[in-house]
């Protein structure tokens, strides 16, 4: 029985293969389906029953055993064990693709018309291998036919590649064993890298010749053209997507483009799944989501700037929700921490779920800033003021969040050391905005928030504003007033010292001058003494005011 396979293209660009048969041994028969039973009508009595779960096929031995080595062995093993005219059922529960695919196998064995498509070629190819349908049993057998069509699809149709991968989801072990996933991934990577702008010659062809490649810079329009393949790839299942990413890495694709493809896939995936906590999520679903997140963290390119800070923060947030591996989470935190010095406030904006208390997740930012202080700031020469401005800007942005807790705000405000800020003006501005946006917080909570800033680190303008700010807690206001008085006392003391030095100099000048100028110098000394006495009187008044404020504060407590 001589079969040939012919390829053709539909109007939508997909490829269809038609298996034709030159023999008419059983080709005149018809395969009828009655519920979960398939009966081959050829005019000859059925002598073979194949059972797949609760599906059964009433067939004939000759066309089946002449093409399938596996069925041939099962029939021989059952020989002599027949209970009636018909043989005992042969169980094929493990055939890849199930009853739907086995129906195609039957049609092939009987020489009936068989349409090969991108949706059925992978299960049929795996079933042919499972059933041992090689040319050792019949010329141009099913393995050869499906291999030819599969290769044709790999190199012809971009759209059908993803249809093949989709059909592999139910037969993953066989698809991986027979390298269908690997072949599809390689084909996708080749097509994605075909655009020379997406190809990094410094890690591929140039490396073969020992040449140091020079990376080119591309405009935003050119970069967007490199992303033409993101949409289809973002629809793949996680294990298939990982195969594609590995293939792209082997092909030498630029790390930043790989990072962007991972971000696109993650965004699409998060829009399709529901992130549930441990108490409400089904155990299997929860574990699959956690494995997905951990896999994404592992495959991220290690090169700097291969992934944006905002994407990594979102990935960290989901990893924490999924209770991912602690080592992976810490590795991701450190990676983000090293990026903080070059970040802006929008990079830190990680949105919470719809049912969350706040719009943005402040806790994940606190973790990263604390990691920065413990890892980057201690071990590397950082741009600390840049991170200080970043954190204060972020605090000012989220300060108006109605449900932002005092604890979260305070934790982030105090996450950086004191010398991370050139001055505390921006921090004071964020604190002022938070207190005004949350009028119902207690006096003690206001005091806790204000502890993060230092009065002496405020500019003159900020100090004047703070002294008039009735939103600040009373204790803090009292402290600010006392500090201002201390400053005035120090200023007065310094002035008095200056006057004393001036008087001493005048006396020395008098002793060495002529007697004519002696009376004039005495008059100057008396005037300076009066000014010093007046200054001392002012200082005593300030000290009395301070005592009164202390008395009032004790009474308030």
């Amino acid at each position: 029985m001589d079969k040939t396979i012919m390829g053709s293209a539909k109007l939508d660009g997909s490829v269809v293969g038609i298996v034709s048969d030159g023999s008419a041994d059983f080709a005149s028969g018809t395969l009828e389906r009655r519920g979960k039973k398939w009966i081959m009508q050829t005019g000859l009595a059925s002598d073979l029953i194949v059972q797949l779960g609760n599906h059964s096929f009433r067939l004939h031995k000759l066309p089946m055993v002449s093409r399938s080595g596996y069925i041939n062995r099962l029939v021989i093993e059952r020989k002599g064990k027949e209970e009636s005219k018909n043989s005992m059922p042969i169980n094929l529960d493990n055939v890849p693709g199930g009853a739907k695919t086995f129906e195609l196998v039957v049609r092939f064995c009987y020489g009936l018309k068989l349409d090969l498509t991108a949706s059925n070629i992978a299960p049929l190819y795996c079933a042919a291998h499972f059933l041992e349908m090689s040319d050792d049993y019949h010329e141009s057998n099913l393995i050869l036919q499906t291999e030819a069509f599969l290769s044709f699809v790999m190199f012809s149709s971009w759209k059908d590649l993803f249809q093949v991968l989709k059909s592999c989801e139910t037969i993953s072990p066989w698809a991986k064993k027979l390298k269908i996933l690997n072949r599809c991934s390689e084909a996708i990577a080749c097509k994605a890298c075909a655009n020379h702008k997406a190809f990094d010659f410094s890690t591929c062809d140039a490396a073969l010749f020992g040449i140091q490649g020079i990376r080119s810079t591309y405009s935003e329009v050119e970069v967007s053209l490199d992303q033409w393949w993101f949409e289809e790839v973002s629809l793949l299942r996680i294990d298939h997507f990982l195969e594609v990413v590995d293939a792209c890495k082997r092909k030498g694709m630029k790390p930043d483009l790989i990072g962007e493809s991972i971000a696109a896939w993650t965004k699409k995936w998060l829009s399709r799944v529901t992130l549930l906590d441990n108490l409400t999520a089904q155990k299997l679903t929860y574990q699959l989501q956690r494995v997905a997140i951990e896999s994404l963290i592992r495959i991220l390119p290690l090169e700097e700037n291969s992934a944006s800070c905002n994407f990594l923060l979102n990935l960290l947030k989901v990893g924490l929700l999924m209770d991912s591996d602690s080592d992976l989470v810490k590795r991701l935190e450190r990676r983000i921490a090293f990026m903080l010095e070059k970040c802006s406030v929008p990079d830190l904006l990680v949105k919470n779920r719809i049912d969350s208390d706040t719009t943005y997740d402040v806790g994940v930012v606190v973790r990263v800033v604390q990691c920065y202080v413990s890892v980057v700031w201690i071990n590397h020469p950082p741009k600390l003021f840049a991170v200080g401005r970043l954190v204060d800007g972020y605090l000012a942005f989220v300060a108006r969040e109605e449900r932002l807790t005092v604890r979260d705000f305070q934790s982030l405000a105090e996450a950086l050391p004191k010398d991370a800020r050139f001055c505390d003006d921006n921090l004071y501005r964020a604190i002022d905005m938070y207190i005004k946006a949350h009028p119902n917080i207690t006096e003690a909570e206001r005091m806790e928030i204000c502890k993060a800033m230092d009065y002496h680190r405020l500019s003159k303008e900020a100090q004047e504003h703070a002294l008039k700010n009735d939103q600040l807690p009373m204790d803090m206001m009292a402290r600010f007033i006392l500090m201002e008085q201390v400053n005035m006392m120090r200023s007065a003391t310094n002035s008095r010292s200056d006057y004393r030095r001036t008087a001493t100099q005048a006396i020395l000048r008098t002793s060495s001058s002529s007697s004519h100028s002696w009376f004039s110098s005495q008059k100057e000394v008396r005037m300076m003494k009066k000014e010093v006495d007046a200054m001392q009187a002012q200082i005593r008044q300030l000290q009395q005011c301070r005592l009164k404020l202390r008395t009032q504060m004790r009474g308030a407590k």
Side-chain angles (χ1 to χ4, degrees):
M1 191 178 295
D2 185 22
K3 292 182 175 65
T4 59
I5 183 169
M6 298 179 291
S8 61
K10 291 184 178 181
L11 294 177
D12 61 359
S14 59
V15 178
V16 177
I18 302 174
V19 177
S20 60
D21 181 17
S23 174
D25 292 345
F26 289 94
S28 59
T30 59
L31 185 61
E32 297 182 0
R33 181 177 180 178
R34 301 172 185 175
K36 295 183 179 181
K37 294 181 180 180
W38 283 262
I39 301 175
M40 192 67 200
Q41 302 286 1
T42 61
L44 300 175
S46 173
D47 58 359
L48 177 66
I49 300 176
V50 177
Q51 195 75 29
L52 283 81
N54 54 1
H55 299 270
S56 63
F57 291 80
R58 292 187 173 274
L59 309 172
H60 303 84
K61 292 180 182 179
L62 180 61
M64 300 304 296
V65 300
S66 62
R67 289 159 183 80
S68 171
Y70 184 70
I71 294 179
N72 186 33
R73 286 202 309 276
L74 292 179
V75 169
I76 293 175
E77 292 173 0
R78 297 292 178 118
K79 189 176 182 181
K81 298 180 180 180
E82 298 180 353
E83 296 178 353
S84 59
K85 291 183 178 180
N86 296 327
S87 62
M88 294 174 60
I90 292 177
N91 194 317
L92 294 179
D93 287 343
N94 295 328
V95 66
K100 184 177 180 180
T101 299
F102 188 72
E103 179 186 357
L104 300 178
V105 173
V106 171
R107 297 184 67 85
F108 174 83
C109 292
Y110 278 86
L112 303 178
K113 180 182 177 181
L114 175 61
D115 290 341
L116 301 181
T117 66
S119 298
N120 64 30
I121 186 61
L124 194 57
Y125 180 75
C126 294
H129 279 271
F130 176 84
L131 296 171
E132 302 173 16
M133 301 180 71
S134 66
D135 283 11
D136 294 339
Y137 294 93
H138 195 278
E139 183 181 358
S140 190
N141 210 345
L142 188 57
I143 290 179
L144 180 65
Q145 298 284 356
T146 52
E147 170 63 35
F149 184 75
L150 188 60
S151 299
F152 181 65
V153 170
M154 295 291 178
F155 293 99
S156 61
S157 173
W158 169 261
K159 178 181 178 181
D160 285 349
L161 274 174
F162 294 93
Q163 288 289 335
V164 173
L165 281 176
K166 184 68 176 177
S167 67
C168 289
E169 291 182 358
T170 57
I171 55 169
S172 287
W174 276 94
K176 191 169 184 178
K177 177 181 178 181
L178 298 176
K179 298 188 181 302
I180 298 178
L181 296 181
N182 180 265
R183 292 170 63 181
C184 287
S185 301
E186 290 287 334
I188 292 172
C190 283
K191 293 177 186 294
C193 290
N195 184 349
H196 72 278
K197 297 185 183 69
F199 198 72
D200 188 354
F201 292 96
S202 65
T203 59
C204 191
D205 292 353
L208 296 177
F209 298 95
I211 302 174
Q212 182 64 36
I214 300 177
R215 298 174 68 93
S216 302
T217 57
Y218 308 112
S219 66
E220 292 183 2
V221 175
E222 289 173 326
V223 170
S224 65
L225 292 176
D226 286 341
Q227 301 173 355
W228 62 271
W229 52 282
F230 283 9
E231 181 61 28
E232 286 83 3
V233 171
S234 64
L235 298 175
L236 295 177
R237 202 173 70 177
I238 179 64
D239 53 339
H240 298 170
F241 175 71
L242 296 178
E243 290 276 354
V244 172
V245 170
D246 284 339
C248 289
K249 287 181 178 180
R250 291 193 297 271
K251 295 296 181 183
M253 182 175 285
K254 295 184 299 177
D256 57 338
L257 196 55
I258 293 177
E260 290 170 8
S261 69
I262 295 174
W265 186 92
T266 305
K267 181 179 179 181
K268 183 76 71 172
W269 175 71
L270 289 176
S271 68
R272 296 195 302 265
V273 301
T274 302
L275 295 177
L276 303 174
D277 55 43
N278 287 327
L279 298 176
T280 58
Q282 294 181 0
K283 185 175 181 180
L284 179 60
T285 302
Y286 183 82
Q287 290 177 346
L288 290 174
Q289 292 176 359
R290 185 175 63 184
V291 169
I293 287 296
E294 293 176 350
S295 300
L296 291 172
I297 297 175
R298 288 190 180 96
I299 65 169
L300 283 171
L302 299 178
E303 290 79 0
E304 186 179 0
N305 299 326
S306 59
S308 69
C309 177
N310 187 260
F311 165 65
L312 296 179
L313 274 172
N314 277 281
L315 197 60
L316 176 60
K317 170 185 169 61
V318 180
L320 293 171
L321 285 173
M322 292 289 101
D323 194 23
S324 300
D325 180 75
S326 59
D327 290 337
L328 288 176
V329 170
K330 290 178 181 177
R331 188 172 79 184
L332 188 56
E333 285 179 353
R334 287 194 295 269
R335 178 169 182 168
I336 302 171
F338 277 96
M339 302 173 68
L340 284 182
E341 294 172 2
K342 299 180 181 179
C343 288
S344 60
V345 172
D347 294 327
L348 304 184
L349 301 181
V350 178
K351 286 195 172 182
N352 273 318
R353 292 175 292 173
I354 298 176
D355 58 344
S356 181
D357 290 339
T358 58
T359 305
Y360 299 101
D361 189 339
V362 178
V364 71
V365 178
V366 173
R367 290 180 67 103
V368 172
V369 173
Q370 290 173 341
C371 179
Y372 173 86
V373 174
S374 61
V375 178
V376 183
W377 181 64
I378 293 177
N379 301 320
H380 300 272
K383 299 177 181 177
L384 199 56
F385 288 161
V387 179
R389 287 192 299 269
L390 174 68
V391 171
D392 291 346
Y394 179 80
L395 282 170
F397 187 90
V398 300
R400 293 189 176 91
E401 285 275 349
E402 183 179 353
R403 297 186 179 180
L404 179 61
T405 65
V406 172
R407 180 180 179 182
D408 284 343
F409 186 92
Q410 182 185 1
S411 297
L412 184 54
E414 297 178 348
L416 289 174
K418 290 289 185 181
D419 52 357
R421 299 175 174 92
F422 181 76
C423 71
D424 286 355
D425 283 16
N426 291 331
L427 178 59
Y428 168 67
R429 175 173 171 267
I431 291 174
D432 183 48
M433 293 173 64
Y434 182 82
I435 292 176
K436 289 178 179 177
H438 301 80
N440 295 326
I441 61 175
T442 65
E443 188 78 2
E445 289 174 331
R446 296 188 186 200
M447 191 65 188
E448 288 298 318
I449 294 173
C450 291
K451 285 181 180 178
M453 65 176 175
D454 191 336
Y455 180 77
H456 294 296
R457 296 176 61 84
L458 296 176
S459 65
K460 188 64 177 177
E461 293 77 9
Q463 288 178 354
E464 292 176 356
H465 186 279
L467 289 172
K468 300 175 183 178
N469 191 348
D470 57 0
Q471 297 294 325
L472 296 179
M474 289 296 299
D475 286 359
M476 186 60 66
M477 287 291 293
R479 289 185 184 184
F480 284 1
I481 292 173
L482 289 174
M483 290 176 185
E484 183 65 19
Q485 290 176 352
V486 170
N487 291 338
M488 292 174 64
M489 290 172 62
R490 287 175 179 172
S491 177
T493 303
N494 292 334
S495 298
R496 185 174 63 179
S497 298
D498 292 339
Y499 278 125
R500 285 177 177 173
R501 284 195 297 270
T502 304
T504 303
Q505 292 171 1
I507 293 171
L508 291 174
R509 286 198 304 271
T510 301
S511 63
S512 61
S513 65
S514 64
S515 57
H516 178 73
S517 61
W518 186 84
F519 292 103
S520 176
S521 297
Q522 285 291 323
K523 184 178 181 181
E524 182 179 352
V525 171
R526 285 195 296 270
M527 291 178 62
M528 291 172 61
K529 186 177 180 180
K530 289 181 180 180
E531 291 178 358
V532 171
D533 291 339
M535 186 63 67
Q536 289 177 338
Q538 291 180 0
I539 292 174
R540 286 193 294 271
Q541 290 178 358
L542 289 174
Q543 289 175 338
Q544 291 175 358
C545 289
R546 185 174 66 175
L547 291 174
K548 289 181 180 180
L549 283 171
R550 286 182 176 177
T551 303
Q552 292 175 359
M553 290 173 61
R554 292 194 190 99
K557 292 180 179 180

